[in-house]
């Protein structure tokens, strides 16, 4: 599959990555290789094979509805860029 | 506007926060409010390397809602990741269900003035709620509080089956009653535990295909839903009449201004890149599990309404209103268990009671008087301790602080005069003071008796049974 510059731009914007021209060229080649590798799967005959939705043969892994203590707020906020009145302070975000 | 008549087509996405004790994927509390970021842990704040584990109760609640809405329960379901960058969700993805939601193809029967129809449910899926963002206008920054992050949600998606705001509100009220009866959510719109997004389009009446729709978010009361629908219908029709085109977009409703604003259009719609959630195992729901939950289902609003009509002889209207609010129906049962007069209890609940219970802000419904105390008031009327007018006065006085009505009657000396002699004396006194009226009555003017009853009641400070006064007056006038 041919990975165009537009695809690279789109994917990097989705991932919020600001890439240089050199990086884009490098990544373009790498993504092409990954996609080509995936194409190998398409050469296999999968007739009669159930689509898989999980790699492990386990289902219904549940926990009981019981409350346990949360983590102290200082720890939750430890990596916050800025803190104000116990909240994470981030650049203005209005949808 | 031109001669063309337009039909409004509406579909709803209802999000309801589930009344579990703990969050959907971790053990933090789901309690509303709290100091910012105090109901958080590495799982709900999306720290790297943590592993979510599904709260079993969320699945049970999902099955219960599915059964109560006659939905098909998905025997083999799973979760998916919905990827997006927005600071209300620190993981940068929301765990939701896209491909195999827990329920599909349900139905909710609604009725109201001039309509009775079935609203089809497209699907119901489980997901996690996001955090809360508060904008700080002074510093022009945003504050993120993740207490709500990971609170379990059911999203109930309807088909575009609504044609009016009345139908939408009837559906929301019915759905709310079902959710409250099941005990799966407290459905407090003002606290955000019941939220609705409105998908709306218009088309010339008779046209088969749908018009282009918009989605309105941020609507948080029944009243604003009706207003938002009216405003968006008008906006779309005017746009079309002016030769314009409706653009498929998401709009934010501003209730204070009564208008909606475009948030994003289809062109810049987000690419969520859904993929199967690798950290959670598939959910298998057996027939046995479904049956077990079906057996534990409480009586639902529809059945309870039927019981009130057939068992207690209430009108469909009275029964519908009382059973439409679970707290009110429970209250009804408690009072009626004591007094055994269903119609009398219904009359009380549908009058001043309703007005006082709804006196709070928004869509709140709060009963301040305990059932045994309303029962006391009703019994005092029944046993002729007080008359109806006094009863209303006592009710209004004791409501707010849940006072003891019997004590109130005693302290304010409101009990009726049981003493027949006192009433007889009063009657004689009133007759003596109003010779003209007495003459009129004797001349056949029956109407004036009311005036004489009123005078006696006034003399007795309202503390007599008007019926007794009436009888004694007639006797004296013979």
């Amino acid at each position: 599959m041919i990975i165009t510059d537009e695809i690279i731009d789109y994917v990097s914007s989705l991932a919020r990555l600001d890439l240089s021209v050199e990086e884009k060229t490098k990544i373009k080649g790498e993504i092409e290789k990954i996609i080509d590798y995936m194409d190998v799967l398409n050469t296999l005959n999968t007739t009669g094979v159930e689509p898989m939705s999980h790699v492990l043969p386990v289902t219904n892994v549940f926990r009981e509805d019981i409350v346990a203590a949360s983590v102290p707020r200082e720890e939750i906020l430890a990596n916050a860029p800025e803190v104000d009145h116990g909240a994470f302070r981030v650049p203005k975000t209005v949808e | 506007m031109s001669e063309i008549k337009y039909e409004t087509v509406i579909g709803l996405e209802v999000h309801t926060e589930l009344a579990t004790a703990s969050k959907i994927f971790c053990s933090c509390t789901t309690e509303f409010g709290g100091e910012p970021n105090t109901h958080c842990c590495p799982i709900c704040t999306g720290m790297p390397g943590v592993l979510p584990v599904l709260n079993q109760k969320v699945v049970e609640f999902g099955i219960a809602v599915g059964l109560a809405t006659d939905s098909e329960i998905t025997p083999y379901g799973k979760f998916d990741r919905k990827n997006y960058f927005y600071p209300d969700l620190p993981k940068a993805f929301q765990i939701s269900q896209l491909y195999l939601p827990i329920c599909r193809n349900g139905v909710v029967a609604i009725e109201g003035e001039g309509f009775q129809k079935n609203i089809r449910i497209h699907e119901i899926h489980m997901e996690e709620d996001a955090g809360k963002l508060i904008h700080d206008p002074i510093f022009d920054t945003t504050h993120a509080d993740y207490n709500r992050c990971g609170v379990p949600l059911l999203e109930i998606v309807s088909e575009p089956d609504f044609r009016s705001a009345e139908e939408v509100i009837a559906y929301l009220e019915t759905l709310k009653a079902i959710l409250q009866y099941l005990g799966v959510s407290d459905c407090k719109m003002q606290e955000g535990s019941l939220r609705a997004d409105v998908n709306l389009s218009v088309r010339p009446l008779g046209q088969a295909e749908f018009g282009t729709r918009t989605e309105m978010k941020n609507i948080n009361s029944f009243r604003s839903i009706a207003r938002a629908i009216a405003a968006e219908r008008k906006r779309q029709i005017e746009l079309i009449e002016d030769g314009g085109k409706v653009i498929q977009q998401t709009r934010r409703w501003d209730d204070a201004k009564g208008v909606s604003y475009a948030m994003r259009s289809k062109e810049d719609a987000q690419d969520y890149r859904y993929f199967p959630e690798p950290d959670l195992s598939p959910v298998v729901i057996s027939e046995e599990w479904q049956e077990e939950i079906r057996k534990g289902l409480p009586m639902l609003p529809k059945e309870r309404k039927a019981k009130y009509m057939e068992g207690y002889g209430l009108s469909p209207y009275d029964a519908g209103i009382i059973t439409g609010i679970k707290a009110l129906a429970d209250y009804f049962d408690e009072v009626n268990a004591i007094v055994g007069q269903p119609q009398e209890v219904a009359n009380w609940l549908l009058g001043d009671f309703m007005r006082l219970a709804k006196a709070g802000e928004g869509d709140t419904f709060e009963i301040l008087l305990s059932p045994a105390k309303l029962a006391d008031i009703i019994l005092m009327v029944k046993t002729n301790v007080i008359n109806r007018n006094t009863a209303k006065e006592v009710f209004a006085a004791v409501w707010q602080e849940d006072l003891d009505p019997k004590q109130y009657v005693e302290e304010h000396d409101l009990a009726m005069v049981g003493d027949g002699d006192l009433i007889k004396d009063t009657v004689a006194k009133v007759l003596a003071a109003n010779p003209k009226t007495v003459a009129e009555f004797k001349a056949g003017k029956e109407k004036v008796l009311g005036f004489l009853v009123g005078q006696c009641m006034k003399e007795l400070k309202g503390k007599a049974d008007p019926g007794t006064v009436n009888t004694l007056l007639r006797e004296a006038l013979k």
Side-chain angles (χ1 to χ4, degrees):
Chain A
M1 183 184 171
I2 298 193
I3 302 295
T4 61
D5 289 344
E6 287 73 40
I7 293 178
I8 294 295
D9 286 344
Y10 181 60
V11 173
S12 55
S13 83
L14 280 178
R16 302 290 192 273
L17 291 173
D18 194 8
L19 301 174
S20 67
V21 179
E22 294 77 43
E23 283 170 320
K24 280 184 185 172
T25 317
K26 186 171 166 247
I27 281 171
K28 207 165 126 180
E30 287 174 359
I31 291 185
E32 263 171 15
K33 268 188 207 158
I34 295 168
I35 301 287
D36 284 348
Y37 182 68
M38 292 299 149
D39 280 342
V40 175
L41 292 175
N42 287 336
T43 63
L44 300 174
N45 182 4
T46 53
T47 319
V49 178
E50 278 276 307
M52 186 177 67
S53 49
H54 202 272
V55 290
L56 299 174
V58 287
T59 57
N60 294 5
V61 178
F62 298 132
R63 37 171 284 271
E64 265 190 79
D65 182 31
I66 295 170
V67 176
S70 291
V71 169
R73 182 157 77 180
E74 309 84 73
E75 286 182 38
I76 293 296
L77 295 170
N79 296 318
E82 272 185 86
V83 174
D84 190 4
H85 291 87
F88 291 79
R89 187 151 85 177
V90 297
K92 179 183 171 184
T93 327
V94 180
E95 214 183 359
Chain B
M1 263 178 222
S2 72
E3 298 298 305
I4 307 172
K5 282 209 163 61
Y6 289 89
E7 180 178 50
T8 320
V9 176
I10 303 164
L12 283 190
E13 287 166 28
V14 172
H15 287 87
T16 180
E17 277 183 354
L18 298 181
T20 54
S22 65
K23 291 186 179 180
I24 183 167
F25 301 123
C26 66
S27 307
C28 291
T29 178
T30 56
E31 208 179 302
F32 177 75
E35 286 295 304
N37 298 303
T38 52
H39 303 165
C40 300
C41 74
I43 293 175
C44 53
T45 49
M47 295 296 165
V50 295
L51 204 55
V53 185
L54 180 59
N55 183 341
Q56 181 168 343
K57 201 153 204 179
V58 174
V59 183
E60 290 167 356
F61 280 178
I63 298 170
V65 175
L67 293 173
T69 53
D70 291 323
S71 302
E72 293 160 14
I73 310 294
T74 309
Y76 184 94
K78 63 185 186 66
F79 285 90
D80 304 288
R81 280 191 187 180
K82 180 183 182 180
N83 299 280
Y84 66 91
F85 285 105
Y86 198 64
D88 66 355
L89 206 56
K91 287 206 294 284
F93 61 84
Q94 179 192 31
I95 302 178
S96 182
Q97 295 191 294
L98 178 70
Y99 299 106
L100 294 168
I102 185 163
C103 312
R104 277 183 175 139
N105 302 329
V107 66
V108 172
I110 61 163
E111 59 181 34
E113 222 163 285
F115 62 89
Q116 192 165 21
K117 65 195 279 189
N118 283 337
I119 302 300
R120 293 168 299 155
I121 304 287
H122 178 75
E123 66 167 64
I124 301 175
H125 61 256
M126 304 180 274
E127 61 184 26
E128 56 182 337
D129 208 346
K132 217 159 79 183
L133 299 181
I134 298 153
H135 183 57
D136 181 344
I138 298 166
F139 293 101
D140 212 26
T141 52
T142 295
H143 290 180
D145 169 11
Y146 296 126
N147 283 351
R148 203 179 61 185
C149 228
V151 168
L153 292 177
L154 279 185
E155 179 172 342
I156 304 166
V157 184
S158 86
E159 296 288 353
D161 286 349
F162 305 98
R163 298 292 175 268
S164 70
E166 289 72 33
E167 290 179 4
V168 168
I169 287 168
Y171 168 79
L172 287 171
E173 273 171 353
T174 308
L175 196 60
K176 184 174 163 181
I178 293 172
L179 297 170
Q180 285 179 334
Y181 272 60
L182 292 172
V184 305
S185 175
D186 59 18
C187 298
K188 288 183 182 163
M189 285 192 103
Q190 67 279 11
E191 287 182 8
S193 59
L194 186 77
R195 318 194 281 263
D197 297 339
V198 176
N199 288 293
L200 187 150
S201 65
V202 296
R203 63 178 171 191
L205 200 62
Q207 180 182 303
E209 57 270 27
F210 292 138
T212 306
R213 69 167 196 270
T214 60
E215 179 181 0
M216 266 186 302
K217 289 182 174 290
N218 194 40
I219 317 179
N220 46 26
S221 75
F222 285 170
R223 196 181 136 264
S224 29
I225 284 173
R227 290 180 65 209
I229 288 172
E232 181 60 11
R233 174 188 148 87
K234 186 164 174 272
R235 191 190 71 85
Q236 291 190 12
I237 292 174
E238 284 177 357
L239 200 60
I240 295 167
E241 303 255 302
D242 288 347
K245 258 191 179 153
V246 176
I247 304 164
Q248 187 175 337
Q249 59 188 185
T250 306
R251 303 180 67 85
R252 170 180 290 274
W253 172 250
D254 183 331
D255 201 45
K257 298 198 176 102
V259 286
S260 61
Y261 298 99
M263 284 164 71
R264 52 174 182 262
S265 69
K266 196 190 174 192
E267 284 71 45
D268 47 46
Q270 299 189 51
D271 180 347
Y272 292 123
R273 292 152 292 143
Y274 278 97
F275 66 86
E277 168 57 60
D279 286 345
L280 290 164
S281 72
V283 177
V284 175
I285 301 169
S286 63
E287 288 283 331
E288 292 75 44
W289 194 7
Q290 276 190 53
E291 270 322 297
E292 200 182 303
I293 289 173
R294 192 191 298 275
K295 276 184 207 143
L297 289 182
M299 184 187 281
L300 291 169
K302 231 165 104 182
E303 297 167 69
R304 201 163 181 179
K305 183 180 170 187
K307 182 187 152 190
Y308 280 23
M309 285 161 61
E310 286 147 29
Y312 298 139
L314 298 188
S315 70
Y317 178 83
D318 290 1
I321 291 187
I322 294 171
T323 58
I325 304 167
K326 182 171 183 289
L328 190 61
D330 290 345
Y331 194 95
F332 174 91
D333 284 351
E334 283 191 60
V335 178
N336 192 46
I338 303 171
V339 305
Q341 289 174 282
Q343 187 59 56
E344 180 70 13
V345 178
N347 292 346
W348 271 97
L349 298 192
L350 298 173
D352 290 352
F353 188 96
M354 200 62 145
R355 193 177 49 76
L356 290 174
K358 284 186 170 174
E361 264 182 53
D363 296 314
T364 51
F365 185 86
E366 203 179 4
I367 300 173
L368 300 178
L369 188 69
S370 44
K373 293 183 178 152
L374 179 60
D376 276 344
I377 297 178
I378 295 173
L379 288 174
M380 281 192 282
V381 174
K382 193 181 179 182
T383 54
N384 284 320
V385 175
I386 51 176
N387 62 34
R388 282 184 188 277
N389 280 337
T390 311
K392 282 194 165 184
E393 183 189 324
V394 172
F395 171 74
V398 298
W399 171 270
Q400 194 68 30
E401 287 167 49
D402 196 25
L403 303 174
D404 180 356
K406 282 183 180 165
Q407 201 181 332
Y408 186 89
V409 166
E410 215 167 283
E411 279 170 8
H412 293 79
D413 193 23
L414 296 170
M416 286 196 285
V417 183
D419 186 352
D421 287 341
L422 180 61
I423 301 177
K424 270 185 195 157
D425 290 350
T426 309
V427 165
K429 204 169 133 193
V430 168
L431 291 185
N434 297 282
K436 225 174 113 189
T437 318
V438 172
E440 278 173 5
F441 180 82
K442 286 193 170 157
K445 217 172 163 188
E446 281 272 329
K447 265 203 322 207
V448 300
L449 189 71
F451 168 78
L452 295 171
V453 173
Q455 289 300 305
C456 292
M457 291 300 285
K458 198 172 157 192
E459 198 68 31
L460 291 159
K461 299 195 177 69
K463 298 186 295 179
D465 172 24
T468 311
V469 173
N470 202 305
T471 313
L472 292 174
L473 262 172
R474 280 186 184 278
E475 268 173 28
L477 285 164
K478 263 182 196 163

